[in-house]
Amino acid sequence: MSKIKINQNVLILHLTILIWGFTGILGNLISISAIHLVWYRVLIAAISLFIYLIVSKQQILVSRKDFISFMMVGGIVGLHWVLFFYAIKVSTVSVALVTLSSLTLYTSILEPLINRKKIAMMDMIVGVVIIMGIYMIFQFESNYIEGIVAGLACAFCASIFSIANARMVKKSSATLITFYEMLGAFFWVSVFMLFSGDFNEKMVLNQSDLIYLLILGVLCTAVAYVLGVAVMKELSAFTVALTTNLEPVYGILLAMLIFGQKETMSLGFYGGAAIVLGAVFFYPYLKTKIEKRKQDLVIRKIY
């Protein structure tokens, strides 16, 4: 692949991550509750992805077993987004994005347990560093405890469905999986709203909410997803993983730029955030270095 094409894909990847970072901004701008916001988002995303599948002439029908799996995981995706937007509404965009970064911690523990593998020492060290950073944020931002807890729970859900998707994507189209997961999220959120009485007048959208939701559902979900999948076919998994860790950084910078004083936090928060983001950002780099060193040692033993 030419250097120009690689640079183009890296640029597209950064644009995609910037769009993902903008999700938190929209969550703050949209005036309806977190549950209603997610209901509209997954509905718009599902419709957008359905249109994309039809236009690109991809297979839509799946087996009964896959359908059930996708729908169940979709429920976890829905819960993840409800918790994420709830965290934003009871705290700030910055708090929600930093706590979401604990996804790396959860995955480093849950993935080996689920796949019945030994937890790597490097993963444990990074996990401890992330816990230290989150503890520091707790200490300095005690007025946002509800948002921090919701953000941590949100990251736990993200870890579960990420591990599930990593398995399912080996057998099915990533776009198809996402489409059915959006349907699953819509179904389970609708069921919850039906029993909680949330189908009410508070769902009525004003003009700005409608515009923001269309941007959130189409651009930040469907389009960003398609762009993300496209570059993953050309770039290495390491490049994608390392660059994706910039999402909270982009999101926090955008929040500070748009909301100003509201997003200004204590020095303790930024210290804790730096520890968390630093650990998350350098995690793929360090892991790749360690694995490369192990491979070199194996090659030396052979020869």
Side-chain angles (χ1 to χ4, degrees), residues 236-254:
S236 69
F238 172 73
T239 300
V240 173
L242 196 62
T243 312
T244 301
N245 290 327
L246 286 170
E247 181 186 348
V249 177
Y250 286 155
I252 290 170
L253 291 175
L254 284 170

Side-chain angles (χ1 to χ4, degrees), residues 6-221:
I6 291 172
N7 289 336
Q8 285 177 342
N9 283 305
V10 169
L11 189 64
I12 292 170
L13 178 60
H14 276 277
L15 176 62
T16 304
I17 293 163
L18 184 66
I19 293 170
W20 287 340
F22 194 63
T23 299
I25 308 298
L26 291 170
N28 203 3
L29 290 171
I30 296 169
S31 63
I32 56 176
S33 69
I35 191 78
H36 291 145
L37 192 160
V38 173
W39 188 84
Y40 280 114
R41 177 186 186 175
V42 293
L43 174 61
I44 294 168
I47 293 170
S48 302
L49 286 167
F50 179 73
I51 294 169
Y52 173 76
L53 287 167
I54 294 296
V55 171
S56 59
K57 297 179 181 179
Q58 294 187 42
Q59 174 68 31
I60 295 178
L61 296 178
V62 295
S63 68
R64 186 176 180 180
K65 182 182 176 181
D66 285 343
F67 176 78
I68 293 171
S69 297
F70 298 157
M71 294 290 283
M72 295 303 291
V73 174
I76 301 172
V77 173
L79 178 59
H80 156 75
W81 277 338
V82 170
L83 289 166
F84 176 67
F85 290 117
Y86 180 76
I88 289 172
K89 291 184 181 296
V90 297
S91 57
T92 67
V93 176
S94 299
V95 167
L97 287 171
V98 170
T99 50
L100 180 59
S101 298
S102 62
L103 164 66
T104 302
L105 167 63
Y106 290 125
T107 305
S108 68
I109 297 169
L110 291 174
E111 190 170 28
L113 289 176
I114 291 171
N115 295 327
R116 296 179 180 178
K117 293 181 179 179
K118 187 179 178 181
I119 298 175
M121 182 59 69
M122 182 66 210
D123 294 350
M124 291 176 67
I125 294 170
V126 171
V128 170
V129 173
I130 291 172
I131 290 170
M132 289 169 59
I134 291 170
Y135 178 75
M136 190 172 176
I137 292 171
F138 261 108
Q139 292 292 100
F140 285 91
E141 299 296 339
S142 56
N143 53 322
Y144 291 135
I145 285 179
E146 193 177 358
I148 293 170
V149 171
L152 292 172
C154 156
F156 179 79
C157 292
S159 179
I160 296 293
F161 73 71
S162 295
I163 294 168
N165 282 343
R167 285 186 172 188
M168 295 189 298
V169 79
K170 293 175 183 177
K171 298 179 181 179
S172 303
S173 155
T175 311
L176 197 62
I177 290 170
T178 303
F179 166 65
Y180 279 104
E181 285 182 355
M182 293 304 101
L183 281 182
F186 177 73
F187 171 76
W188 291 112
V189 171
S190 296
V191 169
F192 176 83
M193 287 172 61
L194 187 65
F195 285 97
S196 63
D198 281 309
F199 282 107
N200 51 40
E201 68 283 352
K202 292 181 181 178
M203 291 186 70
V204 178
L205 303 173
N206 57 43
Q207 188 175 357
S208 60
D209 281 345
L210 179 59
I211 293 169
Y212 292 144
L213 278 166
L214 286 171
I215 295 171
L216 180 64
V218 178
L219 180 64
C220 296
T221 308

Side-chain angles (χ1 to χ4, degrees), residues 225-281:
Y225 173 78
V226 172
L227 285 174
V229 171
V231 298
M232 284 175 191
K233 292 178 181 177
E234 304 293 341
L235 299 175
S236 69
F238 172 73
T239 300
V240 173
L242 196 62
T243 312
T244 301
N245 290 327
L246 286 170
E247 181 186 348
V249 177
Y250 286 155
I252 290 170
L253 291 175
L254 284 170
M256 292 175 69
L257 184 67
I258 294 170
F259 300 119
Q261 190 66 31
K262 185 183 175 184
E263 286 293 325
T264 302
M265 312 293 286
S266 67
L267 287 175
F269 169 84
Y270 291 117
I275 292 171
V276 173
L277 296 177
V280 168
F281 189 81

